[in-house]
């Protein structure tokens, strides 16, 4: 496709985004404002992630997109095709083969390596948003490190539900400084955020914010002393590959209460099945 | 004795118009000071200058901090001032809705200041919140209810509990009984008087209600058009007002 510049965005825009990414990497967890562009897809479909991916992609990269862990859902397929057409990069569904992975709502099960980049799509980058609606005030709270309010949310969870019921977008503290929204990943994935070998970049298109975690960053999930953080998942094994350590999707299979639990990470599940692992419902 | 709060020459102008001009006074530990005057006399401007919600054009507000002794809070850095405002200071708004988080339970409202100063034990926070609800005469069983389900008087008492939970030394109150009916007012005043005496609090109460200062305040300042026209002991000012404006204020109170 010669009608587009490499990876759709023009070079000046990519430079602007790269500057924001570098600033974000220099201040882990800090939300860097950037001039988000209109993308040929609606807000909420990953416009922030797509812009970050476009800025970091090189012609030699291998690109993978997952949506809720899966390579074959609408969002993943359309973004993968988008970069196949506008950048001509190779694409893959295999986690270990990819050099750039754009994700919505999951971190791959397979541990990422140095040299890989994980790009998150972020709907609402501000963890304090639903407690304090004023942007001027939340910025001040970040700059003065006033994070008591975040615990008020967790307090409310316990007082309503008896335990911390926040199951996704669970707030974390980065390097003992900034409180960060890890995008709506399940809290099962939170422990993987910290000390990761890969670079993690977060892009919020509508809210015009980029933030980042450099490799091997300390990331701590917030909690109370008497209600410690717990990474939760469904108490089952995958019905297809038998994995007991992966995050599971519940799939309703009939109208009589029948259901099955399968790995949300499709690549992980398929590679396990190929290696001969079998779950109870495996064909 | 070092004054807890020492205000010197506070002036705030809104363009050519004077908010308050050249106000000076000392407040000693355990003392309750009333500021009275009609609407537009500069009471609230003065209060907001003292707590840092407004920056005064001139003057200083020296507070005797626990750690470093007397410090000018006007020139103090913002993090320090905000730290003061959630530890040693408390601010009771006229409308409870301005001072409470209406979407958060009563316990969460009271616990917020504790969590803001680093308390991280859920059980302890909840116990302290329940204890404070009882101290302001709210049933501890309502700890998980939202303030929207509370009556006006209960909301105001909840706001007071939320402010006093970290054991402040100085409480600023802006018309604490405004908008409440008289029997609820009486109960709130009774409660406030008890808390002020028990905890040895110092307080600055801004009000236009002379009955409130008669009950609570040791000393009184009367303001008119941004200036202090008379100051003295409460009984002295109310029973024997010297300035024409104070005389007018006192004689304007309706008798039942």
């Amino acid at each position: 496709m010669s009608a587009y510049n490499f990876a759709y965005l023009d070079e000046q825009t990519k430079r602007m985004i790269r500057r924001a990414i570098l600033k974000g990497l220099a201040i882990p967890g800090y939300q860097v404002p950037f001039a988000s562009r209109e993308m040929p897809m609606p807000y909420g479909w990953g416009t922030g992630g797509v812009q970050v991916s476009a800025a970091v992609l090189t012609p030699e990269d291998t690109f993978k997109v997952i949506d809720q862990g899966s390579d074959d859902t609408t969002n993943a397929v359309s973004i993968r095709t988008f970069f196949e057409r506008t950048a001509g990069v190779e694409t893959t569904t295999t986690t270990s083969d990819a050099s750039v992975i754009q994700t919505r709502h999951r971190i791959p099960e397979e541990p990422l390596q140095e040299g890989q980049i994980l790009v998150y799509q972020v709907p609402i980058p501000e963890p304090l948003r639903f407690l304090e609606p004023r942007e001027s005030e939340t910025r001040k709270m970040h700059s003065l490190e006033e994070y008591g309010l975040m615990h008020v949310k967790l307090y409310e969870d316990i007082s309503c539900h008896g335990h911390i019921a926040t199951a996704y977008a669970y707030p974390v503290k980065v390097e003992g400084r900034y409180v960060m929204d890890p995008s709506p990943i399940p809290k099962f994935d939170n422990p993987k955020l910290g000390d990761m070998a890969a670079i993690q970049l977060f892009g919020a298109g509508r809210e015009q914010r980029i933030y980042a975690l450099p490799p091997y960053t300390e990331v701590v999930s917030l909690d109370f002393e008497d209600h410690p953080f717990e990474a939760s998942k469904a108490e089952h094994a995958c019905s297809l590959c038998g994995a007991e350590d992966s995050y599971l999707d519940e799939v309703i299979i009939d109208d009589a209460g029948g259901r099955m639990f399968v790995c949300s990470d499709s690549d992980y599940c398929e590679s396990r099945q190929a290696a001969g692992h079998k779950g109870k419902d495996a064909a | 004795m070092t004054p807890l709060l020492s205000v010197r020459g506070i002036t705030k102008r809104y363009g050519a118009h004077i908010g308050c001009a050249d106000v000076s006074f000392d407040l000693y530990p355990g003392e309750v000071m009333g500021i009275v005057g009609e609407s537009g006399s500069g009471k609230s401007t003065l209060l907001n200058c003292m707590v840092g919600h407004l920056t005064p054009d001139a003057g200083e507000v020296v507070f005797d901090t626990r750690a470093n002794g007397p410090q000018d809070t006007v020139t103090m850095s913002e993090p320090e001032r905000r730290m003061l405002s959630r530890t040693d200071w408390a601010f009771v708004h006229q409308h409870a809705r301005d001072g409470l988080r209406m979407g958060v339970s009563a316990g969460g409202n009271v616990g917020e200041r504790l969590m803001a100063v680093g308390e991280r034990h859920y059980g302890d926070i909840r116990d302290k919140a329940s204890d404070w609800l009882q101290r302001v005469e709210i049933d501890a069983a309502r700890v998980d209810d939202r303030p929207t389900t509370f009556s006006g008087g209960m909301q105001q008492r909840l706001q007071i509990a939320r402010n006093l939970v970290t054991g402040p030394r100085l409480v600023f109150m802006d018309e604490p009984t405004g908008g409440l009916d008289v029997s609820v007012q009486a109960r709130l005043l009774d409660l406030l008087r008890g808390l002020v005496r028990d905890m040895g609090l110092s307080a600055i109460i801004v009000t236009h209600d002379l009955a409130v200062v008669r009950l609570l305040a040791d000393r009184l300042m009367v303001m008119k058009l941004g200036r202090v026209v008379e100051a003295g002991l409460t009984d002295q000012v109310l029973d024997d007002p010297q300035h024409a404006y104070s005389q007018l204020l006192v004689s304007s109170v309706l008798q039942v």
Side-chain angles (χ1 to χ4, degrees), chain A residues 131-132 137 140-141 144-149 151-152 155-156 158-159 223-227, chain B residues 78-79 82 86 101 103-105 107-108 112 115-116 120-123 125-126 129 143-144:
Chain A
L131 300 150
E132 176 53 69
E137 190 61 22
K140 193 166 274 179
M141 290 159 82
L144 299 179
E145 237 182 304
E146 286 182 3
Y147 290 130
L149 201 52
H151 273 86
V152 173
Y155 173 96
E156 287 293 287
I158 303 175
S159 71
D223 59 4
F224 285 102
E225 287 160 15
D226 48 346
H227 287 267
Chain B
E78 194 172 11
R82 284 174 73 115
R86 56 178 193 266
R101 290 193 189 277
V104 168
S105 71
E112 183 180 342
M115 291 181 251
R120 291 289 178 266
H121 191 283
Y122 174 79
I125 295 169
R126 197 176 168 80
V143 66
D144 292 334

Side-chain angles (χ1 to χ4, degrees), chain B residues 1-200:
Chain B
M1 189 158 65
T2 332
L4 184 67
L5 188 77
S6 179
V7 176
R8 288 288 169 269
I10 285 291
T11 303
K12 175 75 186 173
R13 287 190 194 83
Y14 300 109
H17 181 75
I18 290 174
C20 63
D22 201 25
V23 178
S24 302
F25 67 91
D26 286 328
L27 183 79
Y28 288 89
E31 199 175 28
V32 178
M33 166 85 125
I35 301 174
V36 295
E38 61 192 5
S39 301
S41 59
K43 313 179 298 268
S44 296
T45 301
L46 175 61
L47 191 73
N48 285 324
C49 284
M50 287 192 284
V51 288
H53 295 169
L54 288 174
T55 312
D57 296 321
E60 51 185 31
V61 179
V62 179
F63 179 73
D64 187 16
T65 58
R66 282 186 226 226
N68 300 318
Q71 299 273 313
D72 184 6
T73 61
V74 175
T75 53
M76 184 181 262
S77 72
E78 194 172 11
E80 285 179 293
R81 191 164 53 235
R82 284 174 73 115
M83 191 65 191
L84 261 189
S85 69
R86 56 178 193 266
T87 53
D88 268 355
W89 288 2
F91 192 94
V92 178
H93 291 263
Q94 173 176 7
H95 302 292
R97 282 168 180 271
D98 298 337
L100 292 174
R101 290 193 189 277
M102 300 308 280
V104 168
S105 71
N109 264 294
V110 178
E112 183 180 342
R113 268 171 85 109
L114 292 171
M115 291 181 251
V117 296
E119 186 91 58
R120 291 289 178 266
H121 191 283
Y122 174 79
D124 291 353
I125 295 169
R126 197 176 168 80
D127 289 346
K128 278 185 198 164
S130 306
D131 177 46
W132 264 99
L133 287 185
Q134 280 165 332
R135 287 174 75 167
V136 296
E137 298 164 19
I138 296 173
D139 187 355
R142 302 205 60 181
V143 66
D144 292 334
D145 292 349
R146 293 195 172 184
T148 38
T149 66
F150 286 12
S151 70
M154 281 169 79
Q155 287 180 4
Q156 194 58 289
R157 278 179 277 142
L158 180 63
Q159 193 196 177
I160 288 164
R162 166 184 160 90
N163 272 289
L164 297 187
V165 66
T166 47
R169 293 189 294 156
L170 177 57
V171 187
F172 298 94
M173 293 188 232
D174 189 7
E175 306 270 10
T177 58
L180 301 177
D181 64 58
V182 281
S183 59
V184 176
Q185 258 190 40
R187 208 165 144 207
L188 186 74
L189 285 173
D190 201 38
L191 174 78
L192 274 177
R193 194 154 56 158
L195 287 172
V196 165
R197 295 286 176 268
D198 291 348
M199 299 177 69

Side-chain angles (χ1 to χ4, degrees), chain A:
Chain A
M1 278 292 280
S2 57
Y4 289 112
N5 188 35
F6 176 74
Y8 186 76
L9 292 174
D10 62 275
E11 292 303 313
Q12 286 303 317
T13 301
K14 285 197 269 184
R15 280 177 69 169
M16 176 270 294
I17 295 172
R18 284 174 198 145
R19 272 191 217 112
I21 292 172
L22 287 174
K23 186 170 180 181
L25 284 167
I27 318 171
Y30 172 72
Q31 299 168 42
V32 186
F34 78 111
S36 176
R37 298 289 193 252
E38 291 274 343
M39 297 303 284
M41 60 181 71
Y43 288 124
W45 284 56
T47 52
V50 164
Q51 289 179 76
V52 171
S53 293
V56 298
L57 273 178
T58 65
E60 293 77 40
D61 272 319
T62 310
F63 191 57
K64 169 182 161 86
V65 190
I66 50 175
D67 171 8
Q68 309 269 12
S70 168
D71 288 282
D72 46 17
T73 47
T74 318
N75 200 236
V77 171
S78 61
I79 292 175
R80 191 163 59 230
T81 315
F82 176 76
F83 281 114
E84 275 170 5
R85 286 206 195 151
T86 59
V89 290
E90 249 185 84
T91 55
T92 181
T93 59
T94 312
T95 304
S96 53
D97 290 348
S99 54
V100 178
I101 304 172
Q102 182 170 333
T103 177
R104 172 172 177 263
H105 298 194
R106 269 317 303 279
I107 296 176
E109 301 291 351
E110 191 180 326
L112 299 182
Q113 305 302 323
E114 282 184 24
Q116 289 184 305
I117 300 177
L118 186 58
V119 178
Y120 296 79
Q121 302 170 196
V122 184
I124 295 162
E126 179 51 73
L128 302 160
R129 175 62 70 243
F130 292 106
L131 300 150
E132 176 53 69
R134 287 167 296 178
E135 175 75 16
S136 57
E137 190 61 22
T138 54
R139 281 197 210 182
K140 193 166 274 179
M141 290 159 82
H142 280 295
S143 64
L144 299 179
E145 237 182 304
E146 286 182 3
Y147 290 130
L149 201 52
M150 207 68 247
H151 273 86
V152 173
K153 180 177 187 287
L154 302 180
Y155 173 96
E156 287 293 287
D157 262 9
I158 303 175
S159 71
C160 286
H161 306 289
H163 62 278
I164 299 180
T166 302
Y168 65 96
Y170 192 101
V172 293
K173 195 164 206 182
V174 180
E175 286 290 329
R177 178 60 182 85
Y178 284 99
V179 166
M180 186 188 94
D181 178 357
S183 88
I185 58 172
K187 67 177 169 182
F188 174 80
D189 282 343
N190 267 24
K192 299 182 202 163
L193 289 164
D195 214 30
M196 189 191 274
I199 297 175
Q200 301 173 76
L201 305 174
F202 299 78
R206 176 174 38 206
E207 304 272 331
Q208 315 200 323
R209 294 288 183 278
I210 285 173
Y211 49 104
L213 296 173
Y216 307 110
T217 304
E218 182 199 45
V219 179
V220 179
S221 303
L222 300 178
D223 59 4
F224 285 102
E225 287 160 15
D226 48 346
H227 287 267
F229 171 79
E230 210 178 322
S232 59
K233 68 183 273 285
E235 292 293 329
H236 293 271
C238 173
S239 301
L240 299 179
C241 77
E244 293 183 351
D245 58 351
S246 71
Y247 191 74
L248 302 174
D249 284 340
E250 182 180 2
V251 183
I252 308 291
I253 47 177
D254 54 32
D255 58 0
R259 57 196 183 152
M260 65 193 286
F261 289 89
V262 292
C263 293
S264 92
D265 185 336
S266 57
D267 171 55
Y268 183 72
C269 198
E270 280 160 19
S271 57
R272 274 179 58 86
Q273 289 178 64
H277 295 279
K278 287 254 182 294
K280 67 178 174 65
D281 293 342

Side-chain angles (χ1 to χ4, degrees), chain B residues 209-224:
Chain B
D209 189 340
L210 294 180
V212 171
V213 286
R214 170 79 88 179
L215 275 171
L216 284 175
D218 304 310
R219 277 197 303 141
L220 201 57
M221 268 184 358
V222 182
M223 289 187 72
K224 187 194 178 194

